[in-house]
Amino acid sequence: MILITNTLIDGLKERIANAVSTNQSTGIIIPSNNYSDLICSLFEYMDTKPDAIWVYLTITKPFESLFDDYSNLINNQNIIFIDCISHAAGISKEKSNCIYIESPSQLESILLEIMNSYKNTDDKKNKYLIIDSLSSLVIYNDAPLVTEFFTHLINRTRLSDITTISLTIEEELNDNIRKILYLKSDKIIKLKESFI
Amino acid sequence: MTDVEYISTGIENLDKLLEGGIQRGFTTLILGSPGSSIEILGKQIASTDDVLYITTEETKDDVAQTMERFGWGISNIDFLDISSKFTQQILKGIGRPMNSFEQKSKSKILELIKEGSSSILPDSNRKFDYLADLLDSIKKTTRKKIILNTLDFFISEYPEDKVFRIIQEIKIQNSGKKTALFIILTKGVHSEILEKKLEGISDCVIELEVLQKGSTFERFLTIKKLRNYAKRIGIARYVVESNGFVLETVERIM
Amino acid sequence: MEEDGALIINEKSNYKKMEGDSMKENGKCKTGIDELDRKLDGGIPKGNAVLMVGSSGSGKTTLCMQYLINGAEMGERGVFFTITEPLFKLTKNIENFGFYKKKYVEDGLVNIIDLRIISERLGLNSEKYNVEDASALLEVLKDIADELEVKRLVIDSITALCYRLQSDEMIRDFIFKLGSSLAGMGCTTILTSEIPPTKPGELKYSKYGIEEFIADGIIFLGDVNRRGDIIRTLQIIKMRGTSHSRTKSAMNISSKNGIELTPLLKSGE
């Protein structure tokens, strides 16, 4: 049963917190205008759980520029970043808690690196995965492939007790991705433009 | 029309048969069956002009001795003595096979394991690359005539395709430098395909044959191929006298 | 491996034998690459001679090294015969991988031997082997395997060796005799086979076309093109003595973990 909540930007952090606390797979659909607001809320939320194991998959922005204002997050060794675009974009600053994927089309490598990141971590700790964003993968891959990737990924994270938050940007969303997001999420948060 | 420049073979009647000698830049393949005195022909060709003589079966001293006997000087010759190099390598024990008793002995196996897992091929032990040496010498030489006596050695030491590739490269060198290259090959001991391939890339093919006629042998020299001069294809009976090859009756085939 | 009692398995090791699982595992030689073992229903049947096929740079050497290092971890001694790459180059490459443990090489659990040195010491012609040469080499390979009591053997590459053998008959004979005598010692062998990049639909797993018919198994390292990016793949084409997956896996070579496999996403193929 999927619950869909329409929400405004105010109180987004709480909405996310609520959704994540009870659901293993949460999808967030957001207009591109509000993307940075959402990221802020997410980071604030991550900051409230510094002891959990976080894996942050970025296909949207290079790792370096993503966290300009959140240096405490970058330096938290409990957060592992998987950066799929820096290498493809020719940016080659290496960071110890960041794994670089050659290209966003290496979906199998992404899967492997995500699951590897949780290996050898404390079993008692809560485990989270943020996908930023599912819709960006479609820029680099055919939609059916992304669908298959996402299916594999959520199947595996469920087995390993990993809570996932999958972002999608509304403008990038096509039918294939919408369908699979609805199918594989326990809860969808759909953000309305804040000026409404 | 520009005059074609010829280089004499050193054998008067052969030059006549070829109507002037060998054109500069040509690669000549000389095929001879055993007993045809092909090794002497190579030396006689070396007796005129300035020469790079590559010897594989005989040492430089052997060649010099034979040439003296025929009254041919060697002051015009630059030698590449592969035969001596090869002998030295053999004497150094490289390539000395272990016998089956040694192979089976335990200490020998342990020694082999130790050597095989601890060292990279040391330079002193590495087998000398004769083909590279051959190519290098031919690239560097400023001599007018190059005689390779024989190619047989290389074919027995290296895979045929590798030898063929090197010969192709040498041929290009030869043609560019306008030298005259003579390659001597024993007939009938290598694969027929290789022989045909070599004939194919050569500008001129000369063949020495021994035929039994009754109780005597007759020897024939045939010009089987001469690029651009089909008319000069011909055959001659020959004998080897104390002063070298003497071509007797000459016959045009075409 | 339990009998001699010398084997210490560290706690983190994945290779702890599960109780009750031992019956199934007995006849298998685990590669130690989890996904691959799963695809092979536990591992390569002991004594098999497997052809590891791929073009240059497809990860054959890395996979074989990992197979030997993982074997050493399980207490099985192995030997790697290199023909194409000199030892220093080989070790230099392999040292970059997280799975490489120098200790195993130093302790003699993993032996890396340059076959060219061996054949030179045997006085074999470096370019061409005649029948006597080939049988001398075969004897020595067997003697070395016997002397070291290896359970795992790699020849990298069989293509380079076949190049020195002069006829199909000799290649057939060589691989067959090598395979059967090593099988007799309970030694599991991987022979790497170098093939030029294949065209789609072309099914040939060895340069000489003979190796593949004699081998007990074929593991094929290929690639698929996804929007211009090359994705490495691994597929088990055949494996005598075990059921196995026939699906293609995507293969990753990471400096930390070496070879990693995950099912290939198919929509993109």
Side-chain angles (χ1 to χ4, degrees):
Chain A
M1 186 64 223
I2 307 176
L3 299 163
I4 301 180
T5 307
N6 290 309
T7 188
L8 294 174
I9 197 78
D10 299 327
L12 181 59
K13 189 183 133 194
E14 286 70 31
R15 290 273 181 212
I16 295 172
N18 277 339
V20 168
S21 65
T22 51
N23 299 287
Q24 200 162 48
S25 170
T26 303
I28 303 178
I29 303 172
I30 186 158
S32 57
N33 276 341
N34 294 111
Y35 174 74
S36 49
D37 300 325
L38 171 71
I39 297 297
C40 284
S41 308
L42 260 178
F43 287 170
E44 282 170 23
Y45 177 63
M46 285 168 81
D47 223 6
T48 65
K49 295 188 179 303
D51 289 333
I53 309 293
W54 290 88
V55 173
Y56 193 106
L57 175 70
T58 171
I59 303 122
T60 318
K61 274 186 171 184
F63 164 69
E64 284 289 324
S65 54
L66 199 55
F67 302 100
D68 286 345
D69 302 324
Y70 294 85
S71 56
N72 56 324
L73 284 180
I74 290 205
N75 296 321
N76 183 342
Q77 291 301 315
N78 277 342
I79 308 180
I80 298 156
F81 297 93
I82 300 178
D83 180 333
C84 301
I85 58 170
S86 284
H87 269 201
I91 305 162
S92 57
K93 253 189 186 172
E94 307 266 330
K95 272 265 187 180
S96 68
N97 60 335
C98 183
I99 294 156
Y100 294 90
I101 302 277
E102 248 178 84
S103 139
S105 65
Q106 307 271 359
L107 295 174
E108 288 89 350
S109 296
I110 298 174
L111 263 175
L112 272 170
E113 292 299 351
I114 289 173
M115 299 318 290
N116 277 343
S117 299
Y118 298 102
K119 267 188 195 163
N120 305 321
T121 57
D122 191 344
D123 265 353
K124 285 171 220 117
K125 287 186 174 175
N126 287 328
K127 289 174 275 187
Y128 295 95
L129 168 67
I130 296 175
I131 303 161
D132 176 16
S133 66
L134 187 60
S135 50
S136 305
L137 277 179
V138 185
I139 301 171
Y140 307 98
N141 296 284
D142 298 331
L145 204 63
V146 177
T147 306
E148 201 183 338
F149 163 78
F150 192 60
T151 310
H152 276 289
L153 179 62
I154 298 300
N155 290 347
R156 287 197 199 184
T157 53
R158 279 188 199 283
L159 269 175
S160 305
D161 232 2
I162 298 163
T163 303
T164 52
I165 304 169
S166 319
L167 314 188
T168 50
I169 294 159
E170 199 173 6
E171 287 87 339
E172 290 176 354
L173 207 56
N174 67 26
D175 279 355
N176 274 309
I177 300 304
R178 190 193 309 278
K179 250 185 230 160
I180 198 69
L181 185 70
Y182 277 47
L183 206 63
K184 286 284 159 192
S185 303
D186 306 316
K187 161 106 186 162
I188 301 280
I189 299 174
K190 201 170 174 189
L191 195 75
K192 284 184 175 168
E193 296 256 18
S194 56
F195 57 78
I196 297 176
Chain B
M1 196 185 127
T2 51
D3 275 343
V4 178
E5 267 194 77
Y6 292 105
I7 294 177
S8 164
T9 61
I11 300 145
E12 205 188 332
N13 276 343
L14 182 55
D15 283 349
K16 269 190 197 154
L17 191 59
L18 290 162
E19 292 184 14
I22 290 290
Q23 191 175 328
R24 296 193 74 159
F26 265 31
T27 296
T28 304
L29 178 70
I30 304 176
L31 291 161
S33 46
S36 63
S37 303
I38 186 168
E39 70 289 350
I40 297 171
L41 183 63
K43 294 182 186 84
Q44 189 165 5
I45 294 171
S47 65
T48 56
D49 291 303
D50 51 336
V51 172
L52 170 66
Y53 191 95
I54 302 147
T55 175
T56 59
E57 270 82 26
E58 299 168 289
T59 64
K60 177 187 167 184
D61 292 343
D62 294 339
V63 176
Q65 214 179 353
T66 310
M67 288 186 71
E68 254 168 52
R69 187 155 53 84
F70 280 98
W72 304 320
I74 57 158
S75 57
N76 60 323
I77 302 178
D78 192 6
F79 281 98
L80 172 62
D81 188 348
I82 286 176
S83 173
S84 294
K85 282 185 193 175
F86 186 66
T87 315
Q88 277 164 20
Q89 292 263 323
I90 298 279
L91 288 178
K92 265 199 280 172
I94 295 159
R96 182 186 66 88
M98 277 163 62
N99 62 38
S100 56
F101 173 73
E102 273 181 314
Q103 267 177 40
K104 280 291 172 200
S105 87
K106 196 171 162 134
S107 62
K108 205 73 197 176
I109 288 296
L110 288 171
E111 191 188 304
L112 267 182
I113 293 170
K114 194 164 159 254
E115 272 187 54
S117 54
S118 62
S119 53
I120 52 169
L121 285 170
D123 265 344
S124 61
N125 262 9
R126 189 174 296 147
K127 216 173 141 184
F128 189 79
D129 190 348
Y130 303 102
L131 259 186
D133 196 25
L134 171 72
L135 183 59
D136 194 50
S137 305
I138 290 181
K139 272 184 180 165
K140 281 188 191 145
T141 190
T142 52
R143 301 287 166 139
K144 212 158 133 191
K145 250 190 222 176
I146 302 163
I147 297 156
L148 172 54
N149 195 357
T150 64
L151 186 61
D152 301 334
F153 168 81
F154 295 96
I155 299 171
S156 70
E157 285 293 307
Y158 295 91
E160 285 187 357
D161 53 342
K162 193 167 175 183
V163 174
F164 186 71
R165 272 203 309 279
I166 296 286
I167 292 298
Q168 277 178 310
E169 197 169 336
I170 290 172
K171 176 197 147 95
I172 292 164
Q173 288 283 334
N174 179 59
S175 150
K177 284 162 78 173
K178 296 275 176 225
T179 44
L181 169 67
F182 298 87
I183 300 170
I184 295 175
L185 184 71
T186 307
K187 195 176 162 53
V189 296
H190 310 292
S191 79
E192 209 170 313
I193 300 169
L194 179 70
E195 241 178 57
K196 288 275 174 274
K197 273 162 82 180
L198 285 168
E199 284 186 23
I201 64 162
S202 300
D203 303 297
C204 173
V205 178
I206 297 174
E207 193 174 317
L208 304 183
E209 271 177 303
V210 185
L211 298 176
Q212 193 169 6
K213 287 211 169 164
S215 60
T216 59
F217 291 98
E218 286 196 12
R219 295 157 160 194
F220 293 95
L221 181 151
T222 316
I223 298 171
K224 276 176 84 178
K225 172 183 173 181
L226 189 58
R227 195 158 63 82
N228 299 338
Y229 298 98
K231 273 201 294 193
R232 294 182 194 172
I233 285 177
I235 187 164
R237 205 170 57 203
Y238 71 90
V239 288
V240 182
E241 304 279 358
S242 60
N243 56 352
F245 271 64
V246 179
L247 270 55
E248 293 172 334
T249 50
V250 175
E251 211 177 292
R252 291 272 173 231
I253 295 170
M254 294 177 83
Chain C
M1 59 187 247
E2 285 161 335
E3 284 150 23
D4 58 24
L7 175 63
I8 300 154
I9 302 171
N10 72 36
E11 287 205 327
K12 268 193 174 173
S13 160
N14 296 321
Y15 312 117
K16 249 192 270 181
K17 262 195 177 173
M18 300 291 167
E19 293 282 45
D21 214 19
S22 55
M23 279 308 284
K24 185 179 150 194
E25 304 292 319
N26 252 349
K28 296 287 175 67
C29 171
K30 281 191 160 198
T31 65
I33 298 162
D34 291 348
E35 276 289 337
L36 183 57
D37 287 333
R38 213 165 302 150
K39 284 171 82 79
L40 287 163
D41 196 26
I44 302 170
K46 274 186 188 156
N48 266 13
V50 177
L51 208 57
M52 178 81 63
V53 185
S55 57
S56 154
S58 58
K60 301 185 296 290
T61 304
T62 310
L63 208 161
C64 289
M65 273 295 180
Q66 206 173 347
Y67 161 76
L68 292 182
I69 300 277
N70 290 344
E73 197 134 318
M74 293 176 251
E76 293 189 0
R77 199 188 296 268
V79 60
F80 188 104
F81 288 106
T82 174
I83 306 175
T84 38
E85 270 193 281
L87 290 179
F88 73 94
K89 226 170 143 186
L90 194 70
T91 28
K92 205 172 146 222
N93 286 339
I94 225 74
E95 270 167 1
N96 296 326
F97 286 98
F99 65 78
Y100 179 76
K101 298 193 182 63
K102 210 174 173 189
K103 190 168 77 73
Y104 291 143
V105 177
E106 287 165 353
D107 294 352
L109 271 170
V110 174
N111 300 273
I112 308 174
I113 295 179
D114 192 329
L115 202 55
R116 285 171 302 184
I117 294 177
I118 300 281
S119 52
E120 195 188 68
R121 292 298 295 122
L122 293 177
L124 308 182
N125 182 326
S126 62
E127 298 281 351
K128 288 188 209 171
Y129 294 160
N130 60 29
V131 179
E132 288 78 32
D133 291 345
S135 87
L137 187 67
L138 190 67
E139 283 302 315
V140 163
L141 287 177
K142 274 157 52 181
D143 287 348
I144 291 175
D146 199 32
E147 179 59 42
L148 295 173
E149 292 180 26
V150 293
K151 290 290 165 229
R152 292 164 189 240
L153 185 144
V154 173
I155 296 180
D156 185 26
S157 67
I158 195 69
T159 316
L161 193 64
C162 289
Y163 166 76
R164 292 166 170 82
L165 301 175
Q166 293 177 65
S167 68
D168 291 0
E169 199 46 55
M170 279 176 76
I171 295 174
R172 199 191 316 272
D173 197 53
F174 188 89
I175 298 178
F176 179 75
K177 283 184 179 154
L178 180 72
S180 47
S181 37
L182 289 172
M185 298 177 200
C187 178
T188 311
T189 305
I190 301 184
L191 310 169
T192 71
S193 165
E194 183 106 10
I195 49 155
T198 44
K199 295 172 201 93
E202 193 182 1
L203 284 171
K204 198 180 170 196
Y205 299 110
S206 54
K207 187 166 181 232
Y208 298 91
I210 306 159
E211 305 94 297
E212 57 190 88
F213 296 110
I214 310 163
D216 300 306
I218 299 171
I219 297 176
F220 181 65
L221 306 183
D223 49 50
V224 293
N225 190 319
R226 186 175 294 157
R227 292 208 180 173
D229 287 338
I230 302 291
I231 309 226
R232 296 175 195 273
T233 62
L234 178 147
Q235 191 173 21
I236 300 162
I237 307 294
K238 84 166 185 187
M239 190 63 66
R240 284 182 194 138
T242 182
S243 61
H244 63 86
S245 148
R246 303 184 66 89
T247 60
K248 263 187 196 168
S249 292
M251 185 172 98
N252 210 22
I253 304 177
S254 88
S255 58
K256 197 171 144 213
N257 302 318
I259 304 287
E260 295 175 304
L261 301 172
T262 187
L264 182 73
L265 303 175
K266 290 184 192 59
S267 326
E269 236 188 287

